[in-house]
Amino acid sequence: MTCCGTGCTSSGAIKNREKLDELMERDSLQDRVQFVKTGCFGLCAEGPILMVYPENVMYTNVTPDDINEIWEAHIKNGRVVERLKSENELDFFSKQMRISLRNCGRIDPENIDEYIAYGGYEALGKVLTEMEPEDVIKTIKDSGLRGRGGGGFPAGTKWQFAAEQQVKEKYVCCNADEGDPGAFMDRSVLEGDPHAVIEAMAIAGYAIGSDQGFVYVRAEYPIAVQRLTIAIEQARAYGLLGDNVLGTGFKFDLDIRLGAGAFVCGEETALMTSIEGNRGEPRLKPPFPAVEGLFGKPTILNNVETLSNIPQIITKGPEWFSGIGTEKSHGTKVFALGGKINNTGLVEVPMGTTLREIVYEIGGGIPKGKTFKAAQTGGPSGGCISADFLDTPIDYDSLTSLGSMMGSGGLIVMDEDTCMVDIAKFFLEFTVDESCGKCPPCRIGTKRMLEILTKITDGKGSLEDLDELEYLAMNIKKGALCGLGQTAPNPVLSTMKYFRDEYIAHVVDKKCPAGVCVSMLRYVIMEDACKHCGLCARNCPAQCITGDKNTPYVIDNDKCLKCGVCMEKCPFKAIMKNA
């Protein structure tokens, strides 16, 4: 099996696949060896990945040349190629529990028979032949499943609201927009197990009385779109979608709608407005979508990860799912683990797993032995968690109490070299750029906040600016129209709460402790270490270094571009960077 998700594809998996095809044809082993292209295994840091069964050997960082060796030694002669085996596989997967990702890396997502072989569509069959719609809703409510898209609203309650609406036309929507920087959970599920989402949406349609669903997915996910399209066509051909699903008389079909990548379309009403063919802007609530949603009709909207749990809840029972996790946060959560971490990739852990376990036991710790400083959860809508809370159980309520949120599941790790003021500025830049502009608190307020942060990182801030920053943040939270605007200040507020000393250093001492904010950097040549070779001056693109054999070399920091070339070229390490 070879990973053909976006990550491995971008690092050479297609060439590996072509090489395997070539060798199989050359040696005529089609009857003895089966080659399966799968979705993401999760260990993205070590892609491209090749898994060989029945020995369960995972090969990582595989190249076409390596394929030759694996083919001759392992596939043909049963000898494991030790040098290519993953050294992190056991640590990475040992504490994970894969529910949403259960089939990712295990089946061919373009082959419906493989999904069925692993229990696929059993839940839909059970629902249509053994359960009434109200039984389905009760099962989801009893499981305690909460939305994995951000707010954590109980999925069963949302379904019940829509089911209670006494109208004929209703809709089921799937949010596969996933606009958070560093988040790729939903994309990977669609690439590796698209039928799970299709099955779940059909179950939801039966539960609320809907015969039409829409999957809203961003056009920047071409592999996900392709595999979802194939899966929908296969489901129709097998009678699992259409006018008479499984011969029961139940009618339900799906269509795909492509988004142009607007972050605001992750908000449910903006997403529905976009499906309707209008500019994606949020609407006032109430009325809520379960009462008046897509095309003015009752609509339920869940994201990909939420839906991927549904089939197993139906087949294994609500008690099974509610027995995983914590008292108020049941089941598992998928995180896209990135940033300053050794094992970047997708991880799925039971709710309540601590941040320390994720970072150090699954993630393999911080590169180069550096110190953990913070983790950003929830993307631009979330907040930063400091090292003081490494042992906090990760669930909805714990993160909210810390000023962050679960969000869709992005988890960005930061080390000692990260400037937290600059991080807040980064996420606010994203929010300002992605604001739909409909309401003044978000359109104007976030821009004013960004101006203040820019002033601070340029070394021109004051203590009064910090007060104004907090005042703006609190009022935007209260006044913005939608959830995205209301949570936009979170990265600023959380960093000001846990890393206020860094803000003080920027505005009082005019220094960036991490040495990141370029405007505050100063390059200094240490006279006792300088050998007067002149390499720094000859390579300086700004020609801001003066000196000769008899005169100390000095840097004019007013002209300096802060490019760091002088430090790179100095063979005596005589140049240091001061924040």
Side-chain angles (χ1 to χ4, degrees):
M1 291 185 175
T2 183
C3 172
C4 288
T6 295
C8 284
T9 296
S10 65
S11 57
I14 300 301
K15 291 182 179 179
N16 289 344
R17 190 180 76 185
E18 292 171 350
K19 189 65 178 179
L20 281 168
D21 287 336
E22 175 191 322
L23 293 171
M24 190 178 295
E25 185 175 351
R26 183 198 71 185
D27 294 341
S28 301
L29 291 179
Q30 293 90 338
D31 295 335
R32 293 176 53 195
V33 178
Q34 182 182 8
F35 164 61
V36 179
K37 59 178 184 180
T38 73
C40 179
F41 283 90
L43 191 52
C44 303
E46 298 189 4
I49 291 175
L50 181 70
M51 195 85 176
V52 179
Y53 292 96
E55 295 86 356
N56 291 337
V57 175
M58 177 180 282
Y59 293 116
T60 56
N61 299 302
V62 177
T63 67
D65 289 339
D66 296 328
I67 292 292
N68 284 315
E69 185 176 355
I70 294 169
W71 181 265
E72 295 296 331
H74 190 168
I75 297 177
K76 291 178 66 176
N77 295 297
R79 297 194 308 271
V80 175
V81 183
E82 295 293 337
R83 71 176 185 86
L84 293 172
K85 280 181 63 178
S86 172
E87 297 179 358
N88 299 319
E89 179 189 358
L90 293 178
D91 292 336
F92 186 76
F93 290 106
S94 63
K95 290 214 165 186
Q96 294 194 48
M97 182 177 186
R98 292 163 76 89
I99 297 176
S100 290
L101 301 177
R102 65 193 178 280
N103 287 329
C104 294
R106 187 164 75 162
I107 67 171
D108 181 349
E110 297 181 17
N111 187 338
I112 189 173
D113 293 331
E114 293 200 11
Y115 178 69
I116 292 173
Y118 281 98
Y121 291 107
E122 283 184 12
L124 180 59
K126 179 179 179 180
V127 162
L128 295 181
T129 59
E130 301 176 19
M131 302 174 74
E132 296 297 324
E134 54 268 25
D135 298 328
V136 178
I137 292 174
K138 184 178 186 302
T139 298
I140 303 304
K141 290 180 70 175
D142 290 347
S143 74
L145 175 65
R146 295 172 64 172
R148 274 25 180 182
F153 190 81
T157 302
K158 183 184 289 188
W159 289 20
Q160 183 176 20
F161 288 156
E164 290 172 349
Q165 307 308 307
Q166 300 301 310
V167 297
K168 183 178 180 181
E169 195 173 357
K170 300 178 184 179
Y171 295 100
V172 175
C173 288
C174 171
N175 180 356
D177 189 58
E178 196 169 49
D180 290 9
F184 50 97
M185 300 77 59
D186 292 350
R187 184 196 75 199
S188 294
V189 172
L190 287 180
E191 290 179 354
D193 195 16
H195 285 285
V197 176
I198 295 170
E199 182 176 14
M201 292 183 73
I203 292 170
Y206 175 76
I208 72 166
S210 168
D211 62 8
Q212 180 63 50
F214 292 95
V215 181
Y216 187 88
V217 56
R218 54 180 44 219
E220 292 99 322
Y221 285 178
I223 296 177
V225 172
Q226 177 190 17
R227 292 180 182 169
L228 182 61
T229 301
I230 292 171
I232 290 173
E233 292 172 352
Q234 290 175 340
R236 286 177 182 148
Y238 275 52
L240 298 163
L241 289 176
D243 293 336
N244 187 20
V245 176
L246 292 176
T248 62
F250 170 59
K251 179 182 178 182
F252 188 80
D253 208 350
L254 282 179
D255 286 309
I256 298 173
R257 292 292 182 269
L258 299 183
F263 179 62
V264 72
C265 286
E267 195 277 337
E268 56 182 357
T269 60
L271 183 152
M272 294 174 196
T273 303
S274 181
I275 290 179
E276 293 168 356
N278 301 310
R279 179 180 178 182
E281 292 181 335
R283 306 167 184 166
L284 282 171
K285 294 183 288 188
F288 292 95
V291 176
E292 187 177 318
L294 185 63
F295 303 116
K297 304 298 181 180
T299 306
I300 59 170
L301 174 72
N302 296 114
N303 81 329
V304 170
E305 185 185 345
T306 308
L307 291 167
S308 65
N309 286 282
I310 300 295
Q312 288 198 88
I313 291 174
I314 297 295
T315 55
K316 295 185 178 182
E319 298 81 9
W320 164 77
F321 190 82
S322 63
I324 303 167
T326 64
E327 182 181 356
K328 295 183 179 180
S329 300
H330 302 291
T332 59
K333 182 72 190 77
V334 181
F335 291 99
L337 189 60
K340 303 296 182 66
I341 191 80
N342 282 311
N343 297 335
T344 58
L346 281 184
V347 303
E348 184 173 3
V349 294
M351 292 281 194
T353 303
T354 66
L355 184 59
R356 185 185 300 277
E357 289 175 294
I358 295 174
V359 172
Y360 286 99
E361 297 184 36
I362 298 174
I366 315 299
K368 301 178 181 178
K370 295 200 172 183
T371 304
F372 171 88
K373 188 172 189 177
Q376 168 83 5
T377 66
S381 300
C384 294
I385 303 171
S386 70
D388 294 337
F389 303 101
L390 263 172
D391 294 308
T392 299
I394 302 297
D395 58 32
Y396 290 100
D397 300 323
S398 296
L399 292 180
T400 301
S401 68
L402 295 176
S404 187
M405 64 184 296
M406 186 77 72
S408 58
L411 203 164
I412 309 299
V413 178
M414 290 159 267
D415 67 8
E416 61 196 62
D417 296 330
T418 305
C419 172
M420 302 311 295
V421 184
D422 184 65
I423 284 292
K425 179 184 170 187
F426 166 79
F427 282 109
L428 204 57
E429 284 174 334
F430 178 84
T431 304
V432 168
D433 190 51
E434 292 290 340
S435 173
C436 75
K438 186 172 183 177
C439 73
C442 184
R443 181 181 72 247
I444 302 172
T446 56
K447 191 169 182 63
R448 295 291 87 82
M449 287 181 68
L450 179 58
E451 289 172 355
I452 294 172
L453 278 173
T454 301
K455 182 180 175 184
I456 291 171
T457 56
D458 284 346
K460 301 173 183 177
S462 65
L463 291 174
E464 289 74 17
D465 288 322
L466 300 186
D467 294 334
E468 186 176 353
L469 199 57
E470 285 184 294
Y471 175 80
L472 280 169
M474 297 308 298
N475 280 279
I476 291 169
K477 286 181 72 70
K478 295 175 183 177
L481 173 62
C482 75
L484 297 183
Q486 293 160 9
T487 55
N490 281 350
V492 177
L493 289 172
S494 63
T495 52
M496 291 186 76
K497 179 179 181 180
Y498 299 118
F499 302 96
R500 197 173 187 87
D501 57 326
E502 292 197 26
Y503 282 86
I504 298 297
H506 280 70
V507 299
V508 175
D509 303 327
K510 307 300 179 187
K511 290 184 178 181
C512 173
V516 171
C517 298
V518 174
S519 297
M520 297 182 178
L521 294 181
R522 294 290 182 271
Y523 286 87
V524 179
I525 299 176
M526 296 175 286
E527 189 173 346
D528 57 340
C530 178
K531 303 301 181 183
H532 296 266
C533 67
L535 276 174
C536 57
R538 290 197 295 273
N539 285 281
C540 176
Q543 298 182 333
C544 65
I545 302 177
T546 57
D548 54 39
K549 291 184 178 180
N550 301 312
T551 308
Y553 278 86
V554 294
I555 300 173
D556 184 347
N557 275 283
D558 291 332
K559 296 180 181 179
C560 180
L561 300 177
K562 314 296 191 288
C563 62
V565 170
C566 55
M567 284 187 68
E568 295 174 9
K569 297 297 181 181
C570 179
F572 309 109
K573 301 190 183 303
I575 301 175
M576 64 180 295
K577 181 172 64 175
N578 289 331

